[in-house]
Amino acid sequence: MNEPTSILLFFVSCVLTNNFIFSRFLGCCPFLGVSNKVETSVSMGLAVTFVMTIASLFCYMIYNWLLVPLEITFMSTIAFILVIAALVQFVEMFLKKSSPTLYSALGIYLPLITTNCAVLGVATLNMNEGYDLLYSVLNGTFSALGFTLAIVLMAGVRERLESSHIPECMKGFPITLVSAGLMAVAFMGFSGLFSSLM
């Protein structure tokens, strides 16, 4: 299998088949908390994409070029969290200066990217799977795009639900959870597509 085809299949796998929200259940806090409006969801997705991509790069370098040679790989989780926290702080300062409206719209969920298990999960997954530098960065980027797709789709569904006739007992969080479950089932259908492409 040539390299472009391999990367395309890896993209399909990360975004659709192994979506962090729907198959790994990582990053559910911002998924449910920020997915009220499409515009806010897109911004959150872009912020997470930036952090996950750069975190994948730096975490790979720190793990393989520092922790492994020094034989202190048990420190990997702490090192990864420090890298992620520094990146989120950078994104937070940038948004506060460049777009105060977006900064206030994201609210508490922006600093929560630091503890977003999807960001830490991708760094740990890269280490456990033994990806090289290219595939570590691609995994971070593609997984973040899958996260963005999930959160934007959910925001679109929730905006439509606001104008729909829903039983009183299902309004709000209950219908959101039902919608998320149905979306997860729909995304499971992509696993057949991926296996047929192999």
Side-chain angles (χ1 to χ4, degrees):
M1 190 180 296
N2 58 13
E3 191 69 17
T5 306
S6 177
I7 290 173
L8 177 63
L9 289 176
F10 192 62
F11 172 78
V12 172
S13 172
C14 292
V15 174
L16 301 177
T17 312
N18 297 315
N19 188 288
F20 265 45
I21 297 286
F22 297 128
S23 70
R24 299 182 189 274
F25 306 107
L26 298 174
C28 291
C29 176
F31 172 70
L32 295 171
V34 186
S35 61
N36 292 321
K37 301 289 179 194
V38 171
E39 186 180 344
T40 310
S41 299
V42 170
S43 303
M44 182 65 169
L46 292 175
V48 169
T49 301
F50 173 79
V51 171
M52 281 178 81
T53 302
I54 304 301
S56 296
L57 173 66
F58 282 110
C59 289
Y60 175 87
M61 293 191 295
I62 288 170
Y63 182 78
N64 288 286
W65 300 347
L66 182 67
L67 300 181
V68 170
L70 295 175
E71 297 181 2
I72 51 171
T73 53
F74 60 89
M75 296 287 290
S76 60
T77 304
I78 295 171
F80 294 168
I81 289 172
L82 288 173
V83 168
I84 294 163
L87 289 169
V88 170
Q89 190 65 37
F90 172 76
V91 170
E92 197 172 353
M93 289 188 303
F94 176 77
L95 286 178
K96 196 171 185 178
K97 292 279 186 192
S98 64
S99 180
T101 311
L102 178 59
Y103 175 78
S104 60
L106 291 173
I108 188 65
Y109 293 100
L110 187 59
L112 279 179
I113 296 175
T114 305
T115 56
N116 184 344
C117 51
V119 183
L120 181 60
V122 79
T124 307
L125 185 70
N126 291 339
M127 175 186 69
N128 291 341
E129 294 292 329
Y131 290 141
D132 60 14
L133 181 59
L134 173 63
Y135 273 86
S136 293
V137 175
L138 288 178
N139 189 37
T141 305
F142 295 162
S143 297
L145 291 175
F147 174 88
T148 305
L149 175 66
I151 198 171
V152 169
L153 287 174
M154 189 64 185
V157 169
R158 288 178 79 173
E159 284 186 359
R160 290 290 301 271
L161 287 173
E162 286 179 10
S163 60
S164 301
H165 298 292
I166 301 166
E168 196 64 35
C169 63
M170 291 297 290
K171 285 186 177 176
F173 204 62
I175 195 67
T176 301
L177 290 177
V178 170
S179 302
L182 291 172
M183 289 175 70
V185 170
F187 267 69
M188 280 177 60
F190 289 114
S191 59
L193 168 71
F194 183 69
S195 61
S196 67
L197 289 173
M198 292 299 284

